[in-house]
Amino acid sequence: MPFTLTGIAVSRGIAIGRAHLIAPAPIEVRHYLVEPDKTEVEVSRLQAAIEEVRDELVSLRGNLPKDAPEEMAAFLDVHAMFLKDEMIAEAPAELIRLRSYNAEWALTHQLEELVRQFDEIGDAYLCERKADVVQVVDRVLKALAGARPDLPIVSADQDAPMIVVAHDISPADMLKFKDRAFAGFATDLGGKTSHTAIVARSLDIPAAVGLVNASALIRQDDWLIVDGDSGTVIVNPTPIVLDEYRDRQSPHQLQLKKLQRLRFAPTQTLDGVPIALEANIELPEDAPHALESGAVGIGLFRSEFLFMNRKGDLPGEEEQFGAYRSVVESMRGLPVTIRTVDVGADKPLDADMPGNQTSALGLRAIRWSLSDPQMFLTQLRALLRASAFGKVRILLPMLAHSKEIDQTLDLLERARAELDQEGLPYDPNVEVGAMIEIPAAALALPMFLRRLNFLSVGTNDLIQYTLAVDRADGAVAHLYDPLHPAVLNLIARTIHEAKQAGLPVAVCGEMAGDPTMTRLLLGMGLTEFSLHPIQLLAVKQEILHADAARLSKVVDRLLAACEPEELQAELESLRAA
Ligand code: PEP
Ligand code: MG
């Protein structure tokens, strides 16, 4: 039966393929007592669920693809056998009759008992059987919940594009997908600017997040349509719906092709204001794509991605130097802005690493770097050494306090002195800039303007901290509003004050890559955008059709608007200006 799940749109386009489930969510089990005269009804409910799972396993066994591994058949037989065994077919039913437990309670109670017995035996072979029992019970619980149980990992159609379905995917795990072809992804958790969504967007893969229970309701190998424009996922669509979406896929691809024509056009507005479009990257291997897309430099290299998937260590100076140098060399003389490590919140390091902070208000980003000066010095030395091979700019994340800037500049001075002593070359004029992503920073800008060489507005965090809305939490995604008057005013005043002081200022948050925001940012006077290479041409198209002077007048009125209707009206005039 087809059904639709609705979540949050995070990466445009339409993907059609088969579900590949990873780390499905554990099913939530309710415990309650049934009325004494309803126990037989409850027993029947349990037996019907067991029957449903058994039928499913038998059908799957009968339809195994010819090239399926042999163990798959044996594995299905073992599961079907467990379902017939007294320990699952009978014992939970007895618990319902004797103790009036609901079916789920009786089943999990029995499972706990079985797991305890397996653990006591402590035999390796039996340990594997324990995992089988757990999986079988999980399937029955899902059947009781009305969800179809997920099937073992065996693809019925090896050629179909793969769509990843998960409860959640960490940015570190997303990275692992970078070199594997997959067509889309859908997760239970997440928000529009969570880092997982950002990586999906940078890969130009249609994605929907915040789907709540997709990983419980979708089965392995189900056919899926991920509509990344609306944030919906259609499960097992009918042939008519499939055809309709296939038709919709083509114009999107055609549009992307058409945009290629703009690659070599100079980026300027209709009234002749030159605009710099730079690239956001996560890994050194992204740099060549940035160059191909026509970016005039790297505006944000999120160096923290080098610190992920490390299995217990952090990259040393040589490794970091190699990575930074390779980006600098790939960019052939164009400026490369490398941000020092910004870990924490929804970008944790591996579980057992120091600094594995999950709080957005905790010891993250520059705070984490400064908490271990020797480690920070290692990164600063590597950055300086890379500057001998091209134009490097150092960007500092999450600054709010003058002492954070001072401490960092002191460490940088120390790194320079050490390199001088060792005779290692570096560019003595490396510029140092600040991410403006905490409202305190935007409101105390002179402190930054005096000490640093450039600014880059991180709208993703600026919105999160201004509105007190967790950017990775789907439950509050409706409140994550880039157009909130407070957010707009903070961005506009940062651009204005920086320009007045003669300091370069860019926007590198996701707003810079959203073509629906381009006119607004141009109207605020922004001339430097840093965005994913994949978004560059769509934003460029907007710029080529915009008149910056006219937009500026509308934006002045828009910034004075506080009521939603007023703001809406000005946004409409922005589109027409
Ligand atoms: C931002 O906060 O806008 C930003 C660019 O940094 P990140 O998304 O990596 O937090
Ligand atoms: Mg940030």
Side-chain angles (χ1 to χ4, degrees):
M1 275 289 284
F3 61 98
T4 301
L5 301 167
T6 307
I8 301 162
V10 295
S11 183
R12 66 189 183 164
I14 288 161
I16 300 175
R18 293 216 185 241
H20 177 75
L21 274 138
I22 56 169
I27 197 103
E28 254 183 52
V29 176
R30 285 176 60 216
H31 289 187
Y32 56 90
L33 295 171
V34 293
E35 301 285 327
D37 59 340
K38 299 269 167 43
T39 49
E40 281 313 315
V41 178
E42 195 65 4
V43 169
S44 309
R45 195 166 79 83
L46 173 65
Q47 283 166 346
I50 293 175
E51 204 54 41
E52 184 187 325
V53 174
R54 192 180 307 136
D55 288 350
E56 186 126 28
L57 291 176
V58 168
S59 129
L60 190 71
R61 172 81 164 85
N63 293 310
L64 274 181
K66 281 194 201 70
D67 54 354
E70 263 175 41
E71 313 83 72
M72 191 52 72
F75 167 85
L76 292 170
D77 288 341
V78 169
H79 280 206
M81 189 190 78
F82 276 134
L83 285 172
K84 281 200 197 133
D85 195 286
E86 186 268 345
M87 64 186 181
I88 289 179
E90 299 297 333
E94 277 314 293
L95 278 171
I96 297 174
R97 291 190 182 104
L98 283 174
R99 301 194 195 169
S100 302
Y101 286 178
N102 67 321
E104 288 88 345
W105 189 357
L107 202 55
T108 45
H109 183 91
Q110 173 65 3
L111 178 65
E112 279 161 20
E113 179 58 22
L114 290 170
V115 166
R116 197 183 53 74
Q117 287 174 13
F118 276 116
D119 286 344
E120 272 173 13
I121 302 167
D123 174 278
Y125 172 78
L126 285 174
C127 245
E128 275 182 36
R129 300 288 71 83
K130 178 178 92 174
D132 286 326
V133 174
V134 172
Q135 283 177 18
V136 166
V137 169
D138 192 56
R139 283 163 183 275
V140 180
L141 286 171
K142 282 187 174 163
L144 280 166
R148 284 140 340 130
D150 40 290
L151 299 179
I153 307 287
V154 53
S155 185
D157 181 352
Q158 306 284 350
D159 295 332
M162 180 174 89
I163 293 179
V164 171
V165 179
H167 184 56
D168 194 13
I169 307 178
S170 71
D173 284 340
M174 269 303 281
L175 276 192
K176 295 183 195 156
F177 285 109
K178 272 202 162 190
D179 42 10
R180 289 177 56 190
F182 71 106
F185 89 91
T187 60
D188 297 348
L189 303 182
K192 207 173 175 71
T193 63
S194 60
H195 284 91
T196 305
I198 289 176
V199 179
R201 216 171 290 137
S202 76
L203 295 170
D204 198 25
I205 287 172
V209 301
L211 291 156
V212 186
N213 47 14
S215 69
L217 297 176
I218 294 171
R219 296 186 306 184
Q220 182 71 20
D221 275 336
D222 272 350
W223 274 104
L224 301 181
I225 297 173
V226 176
D227 181 345
D229 297 317
S230 67
T232 49
V233 174
I234 305 172
V235 187
N236 290 323
T238 59
I240 295 177
V241 173
L242 258 180
D243 282 349
E244 189 195 316
Y245 275 87
R246 284 207 170 105
D247 287 349
R248 277 175 54 184
Q249 268 182 319
S250 330
H252 176 71
Q253 268 140 17
L254 203 70
Q255 168 74 355
L256 290 181
K257 255 205 195 123
K258 271 195 194 157
L259 284 174
Q260 290 302 320
R261 290 196 304 237
L262 303 179
R263 254 180 70 200
F264 300 107
T267 311
Q268 60 175 33
T269 60
L270 282 176
D271 52 339
V273 181
I275 305 292
L277 294 181
E278 296 168 339
N280 287 358
I281 62 167
E282 274 83 41
L283 289 175
E285 45 273 34
D286 300 335
H289 302 300
L291 201 65
E292 277 161 33
S293 73
V296 296
I298 301 291
L300 172 65
F301 172 11
R302 291 182 162 98
S303 73
E304 57 274 13
F305 281 83
L306 294 175
F307 288 63
M308 294 175 186
N309 296 325
R310 304 282 315 177
K311 298 201 176 65
D313 69 337
L314 295 177
E317 181 175 321
E318 287 311 313
E319 186 181 338
Q320 289 191 53
F321 165 59
Y324 305 147
R325 177 181 167 173
S326 89
V327 175
V328 171
E329 288 179 339
S330 301
M331 293 309 289
R332 302 185 192 157
L334 294 171
V336 174
T337 310
I338 306 177
R339 185 173 69 182
T340 61
V341 185
D342 180 9
V343 292
D346 74 323
K347 253 183 312 193
L349 295 179
D350 302 345
D352 49 356
M353 298 280 265
N356 195 30
Q357 288 294 323
T358 49
S359 158
L361 302 179
L363 190 73
R364 53 168 296 199
I366 192 75
R367 304 169 183 182
W368 184 65
S369 293
L370 287 170
S371 74
D372 187 342
Q374 201 51 48
M375 176 191 71
F376 196 18
L377 195 65
T378 302
Q379 179 165 40
L380 296 175
R381 281 178 54 108
L383 288 169
L384 284 176
R385 284 176 59 195
S387 73
F389 297 85
K391 185 166 168 49
V392 169
R393 307 200 307 167
I394 299 176
L395 179 59
L396 308 169
M398 291 254 333
L399 289 170
H401 304 272
S402 63
K403 63 171 179 261
E404 291 164 338
I405 308 175
D406 297 341
Q407 283 168 359
T408 305
L409 295 179
D410 284 351
L411 271 176
L412 206 54
E413 213 32 66
R414 203 169 120 196
R416 284 194 193 101
E418 285 183 4
L419 295 180
D420 285 340
Q421 245 184 4
E422 294 162 34
L424 290 169
Y426 64 91
D427 170 7
N429 300 316
V430 166
E431 292 178 350
V432 184
M435 292 283 295
I436 302 298
E437 50 187 344
I438 298 182
L443 293 167
L445 218 57
M447 185 166 95
F448 293 82
L449 298 172
R450 270 197 294 277
R451 291 173 169 78
L452 296 158
N453 308 113
F454 68 96
L455 304 179
S456 190
V457 185
T459 50
N460 307 335
D461 277 316
L462 189 62
I463 299 167
Q464 148 164 281
Y465 293 127
T466 305
L467 303 178
V469 172
D470 185 338
R471 64 193 261 195
D473 185 348
V476 286
H478 59 293
L479 299 173
Y480 186 92
D481 181 9
L483 298 174
H484 190 289
V487 173
L488 294 180
N489 277 286
L490 286 175
I491 301 173
R493 66 181 283 166
T494 304
I495 296 171
H496 178 74
E497 281 185 52
K499 294 224 156 210
Q500 274 205 325
L503 232 64
V505 56
V507 169
C508 66
E510 294 298 292
M511 273 177 90
D514 180 349
T516 66
M517 299 286 167
T518 308
R519 297 169 82 81
L520 176 67
L521 294 172
L522 287 171
M524 289 180 181
L526 187 73
T527 51
E528 207 182 315
F529 294 60
S530 191
L531 63 181
H532 301 300
I534 208 77
Q535 299 161 323
L536 194 139
L537 294 178
V539 168
K540 188 175 195 174
Q541 190 179 37
E542 284 295 319
I543 293 169
L544 296 178
H545 291 104
D547 182 317
R550 288 208 339 230
L551 292 174
S552 155
K553 292 200 184 91
V554 184
V555 168
D556 283 347
R557 292 201 301 271
L558 189 143
L559 291 172
C562 260
E563 292 303 326
E565 302 76 29
E566 259 179 278
L567 198 76
Q568 202 49 45
E570 296 303 348
L571 283 170
E572 310 261 306
S573 10
L574 202 58
R575 261 169 237 136

